[in-house]
Amino acid sequence: MIGRLTGGLLRAVLVVLLIAIPSMLLPASGSGTPEIVALIAIGAALFTLVEYTALSPSLVEFRDAPPFNRIRFLFTALNVFLLALVLRGAAEPSTLTEIARAVGTRLGAALDIAYSPVRLFLLALPQAGEPLPDLRGLAAVSYLLSLGSVAFFAALLRLRGWPLPSRNFNVWINLPTFDPTSGPDVIWRLRRDAQFNLVLGFLLPFVMPALVKLGLPLLGPIELSDPHALIWTVTAWAFLPASLLMRGVALQRVADMIDAQRERANARDRRMMPA
């Protein structure tokens, strides 16, 4: 219990630091920005603490199957830090910010090609092109980091056999929103959900800008002059599809594990049957 509480507190502090990164690196853009950031950070910290200290989480998946959530958190934190660093260079340039902006500019030029997710994202926000010259670099950096998180998890799954064979995988704990006792065969449902997440995660970077463009007449113009809003908008655009891809790969792995365990059990039962 003490170890679970310590781990939950540590994770809550890390979540607060993640949310506070833009505020620590960038000047406040409005009178209410620090208060809003503090309120969101406290809410996210309480949610994380409850989810990681409870006997069974209610929403957080793969809680006891590291490093699934750790990879998502680390790459997201790295992305937020780099984006804040690039935007800081516009107001307070330094050697580090100039390096970050130069890398973002080169990546943006390389990825801003016809029908690429970066190009589609920029076309969905035409009003942001002139006042936000770093937007292309921010989108490119975020998109590459999101792909890197998926590739890193896939390599870890391949090389280390995630979750490790020595660890027990509890479906009730690691998939709290999935009920294995309802509906058709659990393996079929897991593979169906995995395929849905993989397809949606692949298509979302292309579909999301189109949905945003279609919704602009109803929602009004998107205001991205605030660097804090810009950072979280670009991060959500890049890492929501990556999270779906990682979830799809993880669900497919769980389905394969259950299938292999079922095959071993059937083989053992056949051996024990009298001739």
Side-chain angles (χ1 to χ4, degrees):
M1 181 62 185
I2 296 179
R4 189 184 299 121
L5 178 60
T6 303
L9 288 172
L10 177 60
R11 289 174 173 85
V13 171
L14 292 175
V15 168
V16 171
L17 291 177
L18 168 63
I19 297 175
I21 286 175
S23 297
M24 291 188 294
L25 294 179
L26 298 172
S29 58
S31 58
T33 300
E35 290 79 7
I36 295 174
V37 171
L39 182 62
I40 296 175
I42 291 174
L46 290 176
F47 173 78
T48 303
L49 181 62
V50 171
E51 287 289 290
Y52 276 89
T53 55
L55 292 177
S56 177
S58 58
L59 291 175
V60 175
E61 294 183 327
F62 302 107
R63 189 192 72 173
D64 293 342
F68 180 85
N69 290 319
R70 297 174 187 177
I71 294 174
R72 294 196 300 178
F73 177 84
L74 288 175
F75 275 85
T76 302
L78 178 60
N79 180 72
V80 172
F81 174 77
L82 291 177
L83 298 193
L85 203 63
V86 171
L87 294 178
R88 178 186 175 92
E92 301 177 9
S94 65
T95 303
L96 187 59
T97 59
E98 289 303 311
I99 293 175
R101 296 187 73 182
V103 171
T105 300
R106 289 182 176 272
L107 290 177
L111 295 180
D112 186 13
I113 57 178
Y115 305 109
S116 70
V118 174
R119 172 68 64 83
L120 295 176
F121 179 74
L122 296 176
L123 292 177
L125 306 169
Q127 76 281 1
E130 190 63 29
L132 295 171
D134 290 321
L135 183 57
R136 185 173 66 171
L138 298 179
V141 169
S142 294
Y143 189 65
L144 276 184
L145 282 176
S146 67
L147 292 181
S149 66
V150 177
F152 185 79
F153 176 68
L156 191 67
L157 185 148
R158 180 72 175 177
L159 297 176
R160 300 186 61 187
W162 176 93
L164 298 181
S166 60
R167 300 180 64 93
N168 294 324
F169 186 88
N170 190 320
V171 176
W172 295 95
I173 298 296
N174 292 297
L175 295 173
T177 60
F178 180 83
D179 186 2
T181 62
S182 64
D185 182 68
V186 62
I187 298 177
W188 180 86
R189 291 170 56 212
L190 283 171
R191 287 177 173 162
R192 179 201 61 187
D193 292 350
Q195 293 171 3
F196 175 78
N197 279 267
L198 289 172
V199 172
L200 184 60
F202 176 78
L203 294 178
L204 206 55
F206 303 93
V207 176
M208 194 184 302
L211 295 177
V212 170
K213 204 168 186 64
L214 291 175
L216 284 180
L218 299 176
L219 303 176
I222 299 178
E223 181 59 49
L224 294 179
S225 59
D226 182 2
H228 298 263
L230 177 60
I231 288 173
W232 294 113
T233 300
V234 176
T235 300
W237 163 77
F239 278 86
L240 179 58
S243 181
L244 290 173
L245 289 173
M246 289 181 60
R247 186 176 188 270
V249 172
L251 290 177
Q252 183 64 46
R253 170 62 177 169
V254 174
D256 293 341
M257 290 171 51
I258 296 176
D259 191 23
Q261 185 177 12
R262 182 180 295 180
E263 289 292 333
R264 289 194 297 268
N266 291 338
R268 184 169 58 250
D269 291 341
R270 287 193 296 267
R271 290 195 302 267
M272 296 177 62
M273 292 178 61

